[in-house]
Amino acid sequence: MKIFKFGGASVKDAESVKNVSLVLKSQGFEKCLLVISAMGKTTNELEKVVELYFRKDNYQTEIEKIKRKHIEIAEGLFPENHAVFAEINLFFDDIDSFLRRNKSPNYDFVYDQVVSCGEMISTKIVSEYLNEIQFINQWLDARDYVKTDNSYREGVVDWAKTEEFISNLNKEICYVTQGFIGSDNNNFTVTLGREGSDYSAAIFAYCLNAEAMTIWKDVPGVMTGDPRKFKDVTLLSNISYEEAIEMAYYGASVIHPKTLQPLQQKNIPFYVKSFIDPTKEGTKVGASEKNQSEETYILKENQTLLKISTRDFSFIAEDHMSLIFGYLSKNKIKVSLMQNSAISLALCLEDKFNNIDELNEELQKVFRTEVIKNVSLFTVRNAKMDHIDQFYQEKSVLLEQISKNTLQMVTQ
């Protein structure tokens, strides 16, 4: 089977959904599973619903706005009496009904039940449209197949159960399903982390022993830098799994960090291609003699620099490190860069859940700390060290690290 993943930008309106059918026509729509994200900025809009709900504010108006937008998209795709309109209304009624009945104070639990509806609605619209134009497919609820623990907003996949369920699918037909979501043992929805649709596609690819997986984006492929942030970037036509994993870890937005490991385990080729021009080759990630090691630039913004030192000037020892990383794990804060000396530790952190103040409060009971918010982590992979000075120009460098051929600096 082939696995195709289409992100929010590729299904943001009626014309975009029609374009998906053109992409499929160019690639061949047989033995294919499509993983589809929420339409456009729907995830952000549903996040706002959750925030309004917990502030006891008027979230119903926001739900109505999002519903109206989806109905307008459907009006550009279907005749007015089509059954999909009732389906759309039902999904939004479910969101409202859940929030009126809910008694749980757990923000992450409520978030997953509400925000996941974006994927449910978008896949229903796309699946129905493709069937309408004779691209025959079966709609799947990914929650019946991708099983996780109950770590809401950061679900950990139960690979044994997931593989058991997905491997039973009929590999001779086509499917449309959701990215980003799974379910726990109680069948509550659990999301796999922000931008987790790529990971969902990799899960299905792994469990179906797919021939290949392709992510369709609004860029030509994996570039040597984000063209919105860097000048004179070029396309990487072939890169190794290892290089792609490093790029994803350092923050390359075109690849989700968890995506590559399941693909690498079964040596499944992974393509990043443009839905604007699907005939172009794009980037192939996998084992190849053509793999490139070009200088690449990655900027990871909205980071926090945390400096930690002992109060009595003693060494930062193993027990200190264990305590610090225990607090990081508890607060779901990820380390992007770490540098330690005898009596201090500097961490560049990604704080997706806004828990840095709670972390700092806990650490200050034992350590001296300094927190600098809104910093950026700039990484140069395969850096040409003979012209390294250019990277320091016009930058206020708070921390730097050079290892082998990788330069990293935390800047303000």
Side-chain angles (χ1 to χ4, degrees), residues 121-306:
I121 299 161
S122 71
T123 53
K124 184 59 75 171
I125 291 171
V126 173
S127 174
E128 291 285 354
Y129 174 71
L130 291 175
N131 278 324
E132 190 84 355
I133 62 168
Q134 299 306 305
F135 279 22
I136 304 305
N137 70 91
Q138 185 176 324
W139 182 84
L140 295 182
D141 187 335
R143 298 170 299 184
D144 295 335
Y145 296 90
V146 179
K147 307 305 288 185
T148 71
D149 66 358
N150 62 357
S151 302
Y152 299 109
R153 294 181 74 186
E154 285 284 341
V156 177
V157 174
D158 181 330
W159 281 96
K161 284 184 182 174
T162 298
E163 190 165 11
E164 178 190 341
F165 291 135
I166 292 176
S167 63
N168 286 326
L169 290 171
N170 181 352
K171 296 176 187 174
E172 298 300 314
I173 65 175
C174 296
Y175 298 96
V176 173
T177 192
Q178 308 78 39
F180 180 54
I181 64 174
S183 68
D184 63 15
N185 286 335
N186 294 313
N187 291 320
F188 287 119
T189 306
V190 181
T191 63
L192 304 178
R194 202 69 161 80
E195 310 294 339
S197 293
D198 292 3
Y199 184 36
S200 296
I203 292 167
F204 278 98
Y206 176 92
C207 295
L208 291 168
N209 295 308
E211 172 193 324
M213 171 178 144
T214 305
I215 291 178
W216 297 94
K217 302 186 81 74
D218 57 357
V219 292
V222 180
M223 313 291 285
T224 53
D226 186 335
R228 294 166 296 186
K229 297 172 184 175
F230 300 100
K231 295 177 183 175
D232 304 322
V233 294
T234 57
L235 177 71
L236 293 164
S237 56
N238 291 78
I239 54 175
S240 65
Y241 291 115
E242 293 78 9
E243 184 65 22
I245 287 168
E246 292 283 354
M247 290 175 69
Y249 174 77
Y250 290 130
S253 59
V254 77
I255 306 168
H256 187 272
K258 292 180 183 174
T259 303
L260 293 146
Q261 191 179 17
L263 300 176
Q264 184 183 27
Q265 283 183 27
K266 290 194 174 179
N267 201 25
I268 297 169
F270 167 42
Y271 297 89
V272 181
K273 300 179 77 169
S274 167
F275 61 74
I276 298 163
D277 190 351
T279 59
K280 293 281 177 69
E281 287 189 7
T283 302
K284 179 185 177 183
V285 180
S288 170
E289 293 177 0
K290 298 178 184 176
N291 283 341
Q292 299 157 280
S293 297
E294 301 293 323
E295 190 171 77
T296 54
Y297 317 104
I298 303 160
L299 188 65
K300 203 173 186 181
E301 297 173 304
N302 303 314
Q303 303 285 290
T304 299
L305 182 61
L306 175 63

Side-chain angles (χ1 to χ4, degrees), residues 307-317 320-321 324 339-346 367-369:
K307 296 180 179 179
I308 304 167
S309 58
T310 53
R311 292 188 175 278
D312 58 0
F313 294 98
S314 61
F315 291 161
I316 293 272
H320 294 131
M321 297 286 263
I324 292 164
Q339 191 175 90
N340 67 298
S341 67
I343 59 171
S344 68
L345 177 67
F367 305 99
R368 284 193 181 90
T369 65

Side-chain angles (χ1 to χ4, degrees), residues 46-57 107:
L46 287 168
E47 285 176 337
K48 187 178 176 185
V49 169
V50 178
E51 286 169 20
L52 290 168
Y53 169 78
F54 275 97
R55 292 209 307 259
K56 300 191 180 343
D57 207 336
Y107 187 97

Side-chain angles (χ1 to χ4, degrees), residues 78 82 86 88 95 108 160-161 168 201 227 242 258-259 265 288 305 329 332 349 358 371 388 399:
F78 301 97
H82 197 281
I88 293 169
I95 296 172
D108 292 347
K161 284 184 182 174
N168 286 326
E242 293 78 9
K258 292 180 183 174
T259 303
Q265 283 183 27
S288 170
L305 182 61
S329 176
K332 297 182 179 178
L349 303 171
E358 289 88 338
V371 175
I388 204 169
L399 183 71

Side-chain angles (χ1 to χ4, degrees), residues 391-392 395-401 408-412:
F391 299 122
Y392 293 87
K395 288 187 178 72
S396 174
V397 179
L398 305 174
L399 183 71
E400 64 175 320
Q401 193 162 283
Q408 292 188 280
M409 58 178 77
V410 177
T411 64
Q412 267 185 319

Side-chain angles (χ1 to χ4, degrees), residues 369-389:
T369 65
E370 180 187 356
V371 175
I372 306 170
K373 296 182 180 180
N374 298 316
V375 300
S376 296
L377 176 61
F378 175 51
T379 302
V380 185
R381 287 279 301 158
N382 304 306
K384 296 181 175 66
M385 296 301 175
D386 56 349
H387 64 232
I388 204 169
D389 292 350

Side-chain angles (χ1 to χ4, degrees), residues 79-129:
E80 62 182 34
N81 60 347
H82 197 281
V84 76
F85 293 101
E87 295 267 13
I88 293 169
N89 283 312
L90 191 59
F91 278 122
F92 283 100
D93 288 346
D94 283 348
I95 296 172
D96 189 48
S97 175
F98 166 76
L99 290 174
R100 279 190 282 106
R101 292 192 328 268
N102 174 62
K103 302 294 183 199
S104 173
N106 183 336
Y107 187 97
D108 292 347
F109 168 76
V110 174
Y111 177 102
D112 278 5
Q113 311 320 302
V114 172
V115 172
S116 58
C117 291
E119 273 70 18
M120 302 299 290
I121 299 161
S122 71
T123 53
K124 184 59 75 171
I125 291 171
V126 173
S127 174
E128 291 285 354
Y129 174 71

